[in-house]
Structures are given as C-alpha cells and as structure tokens.
Amino acid sequence: MVDSQCKLLDYDVLLVDMDGVLWRGSEPIAENVSALKRALEQGVTVVLVTNNSTRSRRLYSFLVEKMGLPIPSDRIITSAYSAARLVSRLHGGGAHVLVIGEHGLTEEFVLEGHLVLTHSEWREADYVVAGLDRKLDYQTLSSGVMALRGGAVFVATNLDPTLPMENGVGVGSGGVISLLEKASGHHVDYVAGKPSCVMGDTLEKFVSKGKTLFIGDRVDTDMEQARMLGIDGLLLSESPIPTSEEWFCTSKNLSLLV
Ligand SMILES: [Mg+2]
C-alpha cells in the first residue's frame, strides 16, 4: 500500500499507539496530535492503545484532553486494562490478585472488581500480574516468586525488555518478568499487551465497528498486532520501509494523511 492510500478519514476506527505517536518523552508531537484532532472532528473513532501499565486510563484521558484530544477512558486501552479484562474472562469477578506494578495497574484491577492483595497475603493469590514497577523492591519480588511457586497463574502486562528514557534506557516490564520466571521456575502464562491474542480480544469490539487502521512507531509491537488482527497498519518512521504488503504503509507523520 502506498502512503497516499493510507488516508485517516477513509477509516471508521483508528487504533493509535501513544509513545512515539502522540508524544516523545514528555514532548507532544504536534503534527500527529492535530491530525488526530481533525479525524475526531470528522467522526472517526479514535482508540488509544499502549503497553505502558503505570498510568490508569482515567489519567491518560485527562492528559490527552489537555492536548486537545477529547478521548474518554473507555476508548483508552492499556496493557493494565487488558490484563484486568483477561482475568475477568478467565475467572469472573473477585479474583485474588498479587500485583507487581505501579498505581495504573492496581487501579484497573480494582475497577474490574478484583481483590488486590497486600504482598504479605501472597498465599491467597489466584494470579500474579506483573509489569513495570520503577520502585520495585526485594520483598515484593519475593512475594511474587512464592505465589508463583504456589501455583498462581502468571500474567505479564507486556514483554518490552527496556524502557526509553531521556538519558538512555531503563529496565522494562520484560526485565521484571524474566526475573520472576527465573526465580520461580514458572513461565509466564499470558501476555496482555501488544502483540498478543489477549490484546487482540480486548481490541476486537472496536475492530468490529468497521474499517480499522493501527497507527504506531514499532514493527514488533504495533504492526505485529495489526497483522494479528488482520487490519491495515501505518508505521510512523523517519526512514520508509519498502514493502509489497497490501495492508502496510509507512509515513514520517500523520499531517499529510488527513
Ligand atoms: Mg510507541
């Protein structure tokens, strides 16, 4: 597919990655934000999709509203929300969950009606759900390991090994997961973020609304999720990737595509 065919207004639904599309670090990417604003004004459904589990959908909705994108929290899909929905599908409500992660992850499980355990309650865990925790401590990790050795189901928010930071990279969720796997001998049972079947199930209700495009800046997560969903993909990249794939195109930004 050539870039000129990848017009945003030709789609009913846009699934949009956040980091690298809406902002880079704390800097908004103005041309992409204004293009999405125009798409919203024309009635296109915009759904934001991120592997970042540290913030809640409620907080993301507040942050993008301040940038001029009125997107309610039910159109924001984080790996934390995807993980909480997965546990609801597997268990129903009221699962006992040991969370290793930040506030955004805990909040989505509470909103889904699950019981988030304290770390001293690890014996009661039906599930260990782990993601990025920038204040991770030894006791928390050890509680997770003991719960996994005791037979809890292991859910990862995502497996991204590193986290882009202003001065290089930090340990990503995947690093935390590897540590838990190594110490418990229990391999992760489910991955909730991009790319995964679990995220595919979480996004299906939007994809079923009509012609859908996935916009992102990474081939291994965003474009792979698009391929798994059987929808078109738009990769934002400084250097275009030549492809003969009918479903895939690249562009530097979104400004020429509305
Ligand atoms: Mg990204």
Side-chain angles (χ1 to χ4, degrees):
M1 188 160 57
V2 295
D3 290 4
S4 60
Q5 290 175 313
C6 217
K7 294 288 189 191
L8 303 191
L9 301 183
D10 289 344
Y11 290 88
D12 304 302
V13 180
L14 302 175
L15 303 178
V16 182
D17 171 44
M18 298 169 88
D19 187 31
V21 178
L22 294 186
W23 47 63
R24 198 167 284 117
S26 56
E27 278 300 303
I29 304 174
E31 56 269 42
N32 292 346
V33 171
S34 60
L36 289 170
K37 199 171 169 186
R38 281 191 58 199
L40 274 171
E41 287 162 1
Q42 297 299 314
V44 177
T45 298
V46 175
V47 179
L48 303 178
V49 185
T50 181
N51 270 355
N52 190 327
S53 65
T54 62
R55 289 169 166 164
S56 67
R57 291 177 299 149
R58 198 170 44 89
L59 180 55
Y60 274 125
S61 179
F62 173 76
L63 292 174
V64 296
E65 169 101 50
K66 281 208 303 187
M67 294 164 59
L69 295 173
I71 300 175
S73 56
D74 62 2
R75 288 194 208 139
I76 297 176
I77 306 299
T78 65
S79 61
Y81 174 70
S82 185
R85 290 290 304 145
L86 166 73
V87 170
S88 297
R89 289 196 293 274
L90 293 173
H91 194 96
H96 289 188
V97 183
L98 189 70
V99 171
I100 297 173
E102 297 190 21
H103 180 73
L105 187 54
T106 301
E107 180 169 322
E108 300 303 345
F109 276 82
V110 171
L111 288 172
E112 277 290 309
H114 301 300
L115 181 66
V116 175
L117 303 172
T118 64
H119 290 114
S120 60
E121 296 172 322
W122 61 265
R123 288 178 186 80
E124 295 170 38
D126 302 309
Y127 295 84
V128 171
V129 181
L132 180 63
D133 182 349
R134 288 165 292 183
K135 292 190 174 162
L136 189 56
D137 63 48
Y138 189 78
Q139 189 53 51
T140 304
L141 272 172
S142 301
S143 300
V145 167
M146 289 188 285
L148 290 170
R149 291 170 77 109
V153 176
F154 191 4
V155 179
T157 58
N158 62 295
L159 297 179
D160 302 357
T162 55
L163 178 73
M165 297 176 81
E166 282 78 7
N167 53 357
V169 293
V171 176
S173 171
V176 176
I177 303 305
S178 293
L179 212 155
L180 287 164
E181 284 182 327
K182 179 79 176 174
S184 68
H186 184 143
H187 286 287
V188 73
D189 296 298
Y190 298 95
V191 177
K194 301 173 285 184
S196 70
C197 300
V198 175
M199 181 56 94
D201 287 345
T202 310
L203 296 174
E204 191 55 48
K205 67 177 176 182
F206 301 110
V207 174
S208 64
K209 281 185 173 180
K211 193 178 175 197
T212 305
L213 175 69
F214 204 119
I215 303 169
D217 67 332
R218 289 183 62 145
V219 174
D220 60 344
T221 54
D222 304 314
M223 295 307 103
E224 179 58 15
Q225 189 70 67
R227 191 194 62 74
M228 289 170 76
L229 284 164
I231 61 175
D232 292 348
L234 166 61
L235 179 72
L236 297 183
S237 170
E238 285 299 315
S239 39
I241 296 175
T243 177
S244 56
E245 300 271 2
E246 274 297 301
W247 62 277
F248 183 93
C249 64
T250 62
S251 179
K252 276 188 180 171
N253 61 55
L254 300 179
S255 62
L256 297 173
L257 303 178
V258 284

